[in-house]
Structure formats: C-alpha cells, structure tokens
Amino acid sequence: MDLLQQELEKMNLTGVDFSLLDQREETLLARLTRKNIPCVLKCYRSEGARREIRNYALLSSLGIPTPRLLCQTESAILMEDLSRHPIYRLGQEADLFSPVIAEKIAGWYRALHHQSRNNPELQKYALYAEASHFSRQNIAFLSKRTNTAHLSIWNTLNRHFDDILSIYQHVPKVLNYNDFYYTNLAVAKDHSSAMMFDYHLLGIGYAYADVRNICSSLSLDAQKAFLCAYGTPDPLEQALDAVLSPIITLHLACQRAEFPSWAKESLAFLGNGLEDAIHQLLAMK
C-alpha cells in the first residue's frame, strides 16, 4: 500500500481515496477517480515489470490502440478504468465464441503486426522473444526434465538446430502480444472495435505465433471469422511454429513446480509428431 501512496503523490494525487483491486509479486492494481474519470493505477515493483510502461509508449508510437494513459511515473501508470468506460467494456468468455468480435480482434492484431513488421525502430528496445527458449542448453535440459532422453527427437533437434534457427532468423519479425485471452480483452460496447491490454509479455517474433495463440482460444466459427479478417498465415511461419512452439511450451512448463496440464499435448508431441514437423519445415527451405 505504501507503494500506491508514493506513486499517487508523484502524480500530485494526494488525499485521493482508492481501493485495492489486485496484489501480485510484480504489480499492484488500485481503482480511483481522478477529475471525475474512473481510473486504474498500476504500480510495478521491479525493473523487469516496468517494461510495460515502455511497451505502452512503443505501441503508441506505432499507432496501435491501447487504453488511454492519464498519467505516469517511472514506476506506475494511471489509465482509464475499462470496467467503467463510456465506450469500452471488459472482455467476457462469450466473446471467444463471437465471429463479430473475432473480426475486431483480428483488426487489432493486423495493425500490431503490420505496423511493426521488420521495423528498425524495434531494435532500440530490449524486447522479450519467446524463441529465446529454443536453445541447445534448453533442449538438453528438457530431455532430462521431461524424462524423455531415450526419444530420438533430441538427436534430431540437435542435428538440425542450426538450420531451424536460421529459418527463424530469416522470417519477418513483428511485435507479438503473446498473452491472448478474454481477460486481457476490451470490446467496444457497440462491437465496432476491440483491443488487447496488459503488455507485460509484449515481445518480438513471427506473426503466426500470435495467430496460433488466438485461434487456440476461439470457437471454430470465431476462428474462421478471425482468419478471414486477418488474412492467410505464412505457411513457412506455420511450419516453423509447429517445431518451436512445443519446445517453448515445455520449457515454460518445466519452470513450474508442478507440470501444468496445458503442456501435456506438447509433451506427447515429442514422440509423436515433432520429428515429422522438423522434416516438413526443412523441406520448405
């Protein structure tokens, strides 16, 4: 609570009543009213978490719609409260089944990927890259951590590691949102637009990584609407993602004390599909 008070003082908001919304290891969220505008204050406890402030500035410079920031310090942002907004509402689980909303989500992602595609300005930012999980060191770690060292896939990955990495390095790079779900979604009340918020995992990579992440959460009808509005994914990126995403998923899963259910499909893919995916990718070089 002291951190919230300190950041409010920096924003010249002394004596303002607020209510705590959420408290996590890296962030604090509070709700308040400033000049009759409902707001949310987000405070960051660490340097790593503060990258979201920079990410807001980056998206704004590219013309990507974000919640409006009303004030900021080096450790906090004050933004419009989307739960009490005149135009937007917070996302709902039902939105994942709506073709109309899926089209609007596609519009936001098209802008994100198009405006950032091979943009040299991105080199100024130390952006998170999911593909950094694909390394020889992590491959060795996963073979032991998943108790699958006996599988031939690990030899195949090591043998073709440089070729796979080379393909990744040569596909176009865009900003990736990396964290799609309805809890991070804002939808215009008239369904005319949609946007994502919470940019702590914003990073750099290939566009299909976002497309796959989104489609895995949408209903079949919503998927079709999304892809129709977004456009046809690059086949090379799809083939690359079929190889990289299981390794990335497993490495993230193995950082947890208990192996999560959302990584079980990737674990099974090690012995039933990943070798074929590698051969299909290399055939497209």
Side-chain angles (χ1 to χ4, degrees):
M1 300 294 281
D2 288 344
L3 177 60
L4 291 171
Q5 294 281 13
Q6 291 170 12
E7 296 306 320
L8 286 171
E9 289 177 6
K10 291 178 186 177
M11 295 176 181
N12 295 318
L13 293 173
T14 55
V16 175
D17 291 331
F18 63 86
S19 58
L20 187 65
L21 286 176
D22 192 24
Q23 184 170 201
R24 302 187 184 185
E25 183 179 350
E26 294 286 326
T27 56
L28 286 169
L29 280 178
R31 176 174 285 143
L32 57 103
T33 299
R34 173 183 179 265
K35 297 180 180 179
N36 296 318
I37 299 174
C39 306
V40 169
L41 177 68
K42 189 169 188 178
C43 299
Y44 304 93
R45 299 180 192 267
S46 70
E47 185 61 37
R50 292 181 195 114
R51 68 176 180 264
E52 188 174 8
I53 301 174
R54 176 206 64 197
N55 290 344
Y56 265 95
L58 172 57
L59 291 172
S60 178
S61 73
L62 295 173
I64 309 302
T66 70
R68 185 163 65 103
L69 295 190
L70 304 172
C71 194
Q72 69 181 74
T73 69
E74 70 280 0
S75 301
I77 55 175
L78 186 70
M79 70 189 96
E80 295 175 301
D81 186 349
L82 295 172
S83 71
R84 297 185 290 172
H85 198 275
I87 297 174
Y88 286 95
R89 63 164 174 80
L90 293 175
Q92 304 164 357
E93 190 169 9
D95 294 332
L96 302 177
F97 297 84
S98 169
V100 172
I101 292 173
E103 289 179 4
K104 305 310 175 186
I105 294 170
W108 189 86
Y109 274 91
R110 281 190 65 182
L112 177 72
H113 295 160
H114 176 74
Q115 293 300 107
S116 62
R117 185 181 175 91
N118 285 341
N119 190 321
E121 291 297 305
L122 300 185
Q123 303 305 316
K124 298 178 181 178
Y125 298 83
L127 289 163
Y128 165 71
E130 272 202 341
S132 64
H133 293 278
F134 183 73
S135 68
R136 289 189 184 276
Q137 180 180 0
N138 289 346
I139 288 170
F141 164 76
L142 287 175
S143 69
K144 296 176 182 178
R145 181 70 172 80
T146 58
N147 296 316
T148 57
H150 60 283
L151 294 178
S152 62
I153 185 59
W154 303 115
N155 288 330
T156 303
L157 278 167
N158 278 309
R159 188 164 64 252
H160 296 295
F161 180 87
D162 290 337
D163 290 328
I164 296 168
L165 188 61
S166 177
I167 293 171
Y168 168 75
Q169 290 170 339
H170 286 88
V171 295
K173 299 302 184 299
V174 301
L175 283 176
N176 289 140
Y177 177 70
N178 287 321
D179 196 26
F180 177 79
Y181 203 49
Y182 74 90
T183 52
N184 297 332
L185 174 66
V187 179
K189 293 176 181 178
D190 64 359
H191 293 179
S192 61
S193 65
M195 64 180 171
M196 306 307 298
F197 61 92
D198 278 358
Y199 307 121
H200 62 292
L201 289 181
L202 191 77
I204 192 166
Y206 49 89
Y208 185 73
D210 271 339
V211 174
R212 178 252 307 150
N213 185 239
I214 297 159
C215 288
S216 68
S217 295
L218 299 178
S219 70
L220 289 177
D221 286 343
Q223 282 181 36
K224 292 176 183 176
F226 175 88
L227 291 171
C228 184
Y230 179 87
T232 304
D234 184 328
L236 180 61
E237 289 186 16
Q238 287 181 275
L240 176 64
D241 189 71
V243 175
L244 295 188
S245 61
I247 301 301
I248 294 167
T249 297
L250 288 171
H251 191 248
L252 291 170
C254 286
Q255 309 307 307
R256 302 194 174 201
E258 185 174 339
F259 193 81
S261 59
W262 45 259
K264 289 181 179 178
E265 185 177 346
S266 294
L267 183 61
F269 196 59
L270 290 176
N272 186 24
L274 186 51
E275 291 213 44
D276 287 342
I278 291 171
H279 296 315
Q280 290 171 19
L281 171 62
L282 297 178
M284 298 175 69
K285 281 185 62 180

